[in-house]
Structures are given as C-alpha cells and as structure tokens.
Amino acid sequence: MSEKEIPCRVCDAKIRPFMTFGPMPIANGFLKKEETPGEYFFEMEVAFCEACGTFQLAEQPDAKRMFHENYAFFSSLSRHMQIHFQKYAELVKDRVLKGRKDPFVVELGSNDGIMLRHFSEAKIRHLGVEPSKNVAEAARQKGVNTISEFFDLALAKKIVAEHGHADAVICANVMCHIPDINSVAAGMAHLLQKDGVLMFEDPYLGDMFSKTSYDQIYDEHVFIFSATCVGNAFKKHGLELIDVLPQPTHGGSMRYVLAPKGSHPVSPNVPALLEKEKSLGLDRAKTWEQFKSNCEKSREDLNALLKKLKKDGKRVVGYGATSKSTTVLNYCGIGPDLIEFISDTTPIKQGKLTPGSHIPVKPYEAFAENHPDYALLFAWNHATEIFEKEGTFTSGGGKWITFVPKVGIIE
Ligand code: TYD
Ligand code: ZN
C-alpha cells in the first residue's frame, strides 16, 4: 500500500489510505478472452478524512476508462427501480413543487429518463443533464428534455440564463461518482432558487460499515457518503442538510435533502442521524481500521466456504455479474476454479469474462436449465425479488450463499 498523502476531495486536508483492496480492474470491464493480456488494473486504496468525515477512493482511474460508449447502463431495465423512481418523483412533487408557480426541475445524471418522465408527463418544466449520449437519446425519445453535458458551475450558469433558477435539483446514484464534488456543489447552489431544494441519494456509509458490504467500493464510487460528510461538504456552498431519508435500494442508501441555509426548517431526522453516526464512530478513523479487519475476515470465510464446497464436489455458480462482484472476486482472489460461471440477464455481459477474475458470464438460462448445488448471490441488493422468482431452485435442493452481512449458506 502506498504511504503517500493525498488531499481530501472535500476539504483538502492531507489524508493517507488506510486500506488497499489490491490491484483492481474496471468494475464494469467485462471482456473477451482475447482481451485479457492488455487488461487494465489500478491499486484500489481507500482513505478516510477525519476532518470532514469523508470516505473516499485514494485514486480513481481516468473517467474515459470507466464511462464510454459501451457503458450502457439503462436504469429503466429494472422494474423495482422504476417503482422506486416513480415514488421519488412523487415526493419531489408533493414536498417541493406543490404550490409553486410554473416550477422547474433539473436532474443530474438523468440516465434514460426513468425519473424525469414523471415530470414530463405531468407537463412540469424539467431538464435532464446526462453526459452519456446513448442513454440521453433514449430519454429524449420518451419526451424528456435532456442535454448531454457534464455539470459544473459554467453549465449551471448557462441553464439559469436559459430557464431561470430551479425549484428542485435532484439526482440518484450520481453524486458518489463525481470526484470534483466542490465544483458540482457550487453549480447546484447557483442553480437553485433562494428557497429551492436539492435531493440526492447514494449508497450509505452506515450500511456499508454495519454489513461489511465492501463491494460498494469500486472504481466508479469515489465516495461513500454519510450525513456527517454531506453536511460538511455542502455547508461551504451555503446549503444546509434539512432532512435524511433512508432507502432500501442498492443494499442500503440515504436520500439527502438540502436547501439554502435558513430557507427551510431542519427535520429532527438530521440531528438524530448525525448523533447515531457519532455513536457508531462513522466519523472516526479508528472505526475504519475495524472495517478493514471485518473485510479481511469476510474474505477468509468466503474462501474457506468455497474451497470446502469444491472439495466436497459441489457445483457453485454466481448469480448476477454485478459491478460489486468485481471487488469481491478480485479482493478475495476467487476465480473459475471455485465458481463455474456467473449467470446474468444483461446481454452485453454474456459470453464475456468477469474483469480480473475471468469467470465466464452466461445467460440466465445456463443457471435455470441446469441448477447448481449452490448459487453465490452477487446481486444481494435484489435478494427479495430474486428469492421470489427462484422458488424452484431452492425447492429442488439448491442453496444460496451470501456474504452480506456475513458469509454463510442461507438455510
Ligand atoms: P446492480 O443491482 O445494478 O448492481 P451493480 O450496481 O453492482 O452492478 O446490477 C444487478 C446485476 O445483476 C445486473 O447485471 C443484472 C443482474 N441480475 C440478474 O442477472 N438477475 C436478476 O434477477 C437481477 C435482479 C439482476
Ligand atoms: Zn476532508
């Protein structure tokens, strides 16, 4: 692990990595066999800043390696997520837009319009900012106004000049991807009306700590946020945390509600969560030493379990070639000797190998038509939906293996 000091991305304090996950490929870098010799790896180290409470990657690969024209993540493919974003849009309408004259909503990272279409259909003025051109085009096809640009203060000024200030600025699973958080926060603060509201949600640090779900850490997630850190990060841009709303998505997320200081009352949820984070020690470096040993224990246990099953002659298959699984497989050193293949419903992943660990990814049918003895649940954030539809696997004697919150066989 490197000893070098780096500046905290939020507050510029000098910090050092406290843990490395080892050489890591791009989490969504599924590749063909002939591409494996040139595969890219970076040392995935994490650091915690005690000054502002921010958990962050020490170094993030170049954005071009992570997001390119083949990066086609279409939010609308998941039914559960569709419902989630419909409810999110309803909350924005009820809580923020109600009673306002001709309100204007801006979403950053609006993907294929999964959330904004609810504003478009209600004839509410809206604008999506989505740098990925292919998904932005999919949104426009649905009648969702979308521009394909990166958001910063300059773009915020351009939007204000053209449309006026926004009553609501919203995003989901976007903020934790953006390394230059200060530039985006400054742009958001400029874009908002004096009494406008900013809402965003991302995987929550408290869940990651309590579940040892270290698989939230991968190249794209430069931050794992807490209320402590979000409060500190936005304070210097004049925005105040006015509410926090826990969400079940992505294995435990938090929705942060912010507004220009003094413009809205602060919900009691905010001091309560800040207090809870303090009592859990989420704001202290010592806690992250504990997290590191929890990760090491998880790695040991998963290897021991898979090796025992192999010795017993059992077939083990992975379920869901998630981005998260790249961290688990590479950190734990698990390859095709322990996991026969991973089944996944995403066509562009099928027929390829998992990044770094080189386990074949096969279509869902490979799992359904020849059930293994054990299925390792990499898509654990969708467990409810998956257990519901895989009744015949378990009734036929198949068993699920999980590693969150602890490694084990689900009985
Ligand atoms: P996702 O939840 O987006 O996780 P991540 O952000 O870590 O990539 O991805 C879920 C993956 O699991 C996606 O590749 C589709 C796959 N999947 C299945 O193969 N079957 C299923 O039933 C579900 C719910 C997901
Ligand atoms: Zn800091």
Side-chain angles (χ1 to χ4, degrees):
M1 196 171 70
S2 71
E3 287 300 311
K4 66 172 186 292
E5 281 189 333
I6 51 161
C8 166
R9 288 184 175 81
V10 168
C11 76
D12 222 31
K14 291 279 178 288
I15 51 175
R16 278 177 211 278
F18 69 86
M19 175 178 184
T20 179
F21 287 88
M24 200 56 71
I26 299 296
N28 264 301
F30 294 87
L31 71 179
K32 299 192 194 106
K33 188 159 185 280
E34 56 273 24
E35 293 168 329
T36 54
E39 193 171 12
Y40 169 85
F41 288 86
F42 72 106
E43 184 76 14
M44 195 169 82
E45 296 177 313
V46 285
F48 183 76
C49 178
E50 261 193 334
C52 69
T54 306
F55 188 103
Q56 53 199 291
L57 283 184
E59 240 173 89
Q60 197 184 25
D62 195 42
K64 285 195 208 75
R65 288 194 185 275
M66 300 185 284
F67 310 109
H68 38 71
E69 68 277 17
N70 289 330
Y71 181 84
F73 183 84
F74 287 85
S75 297
S76 297
L77 292 176
S78 161
R79 250 196 59 66
H80 264 63
M81 291 312 278
Q82 286 197 32
I83 298 167
H84 175 76
F85 288 121
Q86 183 178 357
K87 287 193 187 147
Y88 190 160
E90 291 309 322
L91 179 84
V92 174
K93 285 187 210 165
D94 282 357
R95 188 166 159 171
V96 186
L97 305 185
K98 215 184 219 162
R100 293 190 188 223
K101 214 174 132 236
D102 191 23
F104 177 46
V105 180
V106 178
E107 183 180 357
L108 308 186
S110 47
N111 201 265
D112 56 3
I114 187 168
M115 177 142 63
L116 272 187
R117 78 182 176 85
H118 298 289
F119 298 94
S120 158
E121 283 161 13
K123 306 260 185 298
I124 292 169
R125 281 200 303 135
H126 64 276
L127 182 68
V129 181
E130 173 51 62
S132 181
K133 289 199 169 64
N134 52 344
V135 282
E137 185 47 38
R140 282 192 283 266
Q141 297 289 329
K142 291 179 196 154
V144 174
N145 305 330
T146 309
I147 52 171
S148 209
E149 281 184 66
F150 282 96
F151 184 82
D152 57 11
L153 184 57
L155 184 63
K157 288 182 175 165
K158 223 170 101 185
I159 296 173
V160 171
E162 204 170 315
H163 304 272
H165 290 277
D167 296 273
V169 175
I170 54 178
C171 29
N173 305 309
V174 167
M175 283 305 286
C176 76
H177 288 76
I178 305 176
D180 197 353
I181 186 171
N182 282 305
S183 153
V184 172
M188 288 167 148
H190 178 80
L191 183 54
L192 279 179
Q193 295 271 23
K194 283 194 196 66
D195 62 347
V197 172
L198 163 66
M199 275 195 207
F200 69 89
E201 63 185 32
D202 283 293
Y204 179 54
L205 190 68
D207 286 287
M208 185 176 90
F209 177 68
S210 64
K211 298 174 189 169
T212 316
S213 46
Y214 63 86
D215 56 348
Q216 290 295 356
I217 305 165
Y218 54 89
D219 56 355
E220 294 173 27
H221 289 177
V222 65
F223 299 112
I224 310 289
F225 292 126
S226 64
T228 306
C229 127
V230 167
N232 287 332
F234 284 84
K235 197 166 24 189
K236 62 181 157 191
H237 299 283
L239 299 179
E240 177 179 42
L241 196 54
I242 58 166
D243 207 354
V244 282
L245 308 162
Q247 305 295 320
T249 43
H250 288 288
S253 296
M254 190 62 71
R255 184 175 298 162
Y256 304 96
V257 188
L258 298 110
K261 193 168 170 50
S263 66
H264 288 72
V266 176
S267 154
N269 293 341
V270 175
L273 186 62
L274 292 173
E275 204 43 56
K276 189 173 163 200
E277 290 182 353
K278 221 179 218 118
S279 69
L280 285 171
L282 294 188
D283 58 340
R284 283 198 302 275
K286 211 171 130 238
T287 307
W288 300 102
E289 288 300 325
Q290 179 63 48
F291 174 73
K292 180 181 172 192
S293 49
N294 296 349
C295 291
E296 287 163 358
K297 168 90 169 79
S298 175
R299 170 170 68 179
E300 239 169 66
D301 291 352
L302 187 58
N303 264 295
L305 175 60
L306 294 179
K307 283 178 181 155
K308 178 180 181 307
L309 294 175
K310 184 183 164 84
K311 202 164 138 253
D312 294 346
K314 304 294 185 195
R315 280 184 67 219
V316 180
V317 156
Y319 195 105
T322 55
S323 320
K324 297 185 287 294
S325 70
T326 296
T327 298
V328 177
L329 294 167
N330 286 278
Y331 173 62
C332 298
I334 295 165
D337 54 325
L338 295 176
I339 297 178
E340 201 179 299
F341 64 86
I342 302 183
S343 91
D344 196 284
T345 50
T346 317
I348 57 164
K349 296 181 184 176
Q350 296 162 357
K352 295 197 176 144
L353 300 175
T354 56
S357 50
H358 304 163
I359 299 170
V361 181
K362 297 195 175 178
Y364 173 68
E365 291 68 33
F367 166 83
E369 288 164 12
N370 184 13
H371 279 154
D373 300 301
Y374 292 85
L376 176 46
L377 186 59
F378 287 117
W380 59 270
N381 48 315
H382 302 285
T384 319
E385 185 176 344
I386 292 170
F387 292 164
E388 260 167 35
K389 68 181 176 200
E390 299 299 353
T392 57
F393 169 56
T394 36
S395 63
K399 290 206 155 73
W400 292 104
I401 300 172
T402 188
F403 51 89
V404 174
K406 283 201 160 50
V407 172
I409 295 165
I410 300 175
E411 293 296 344

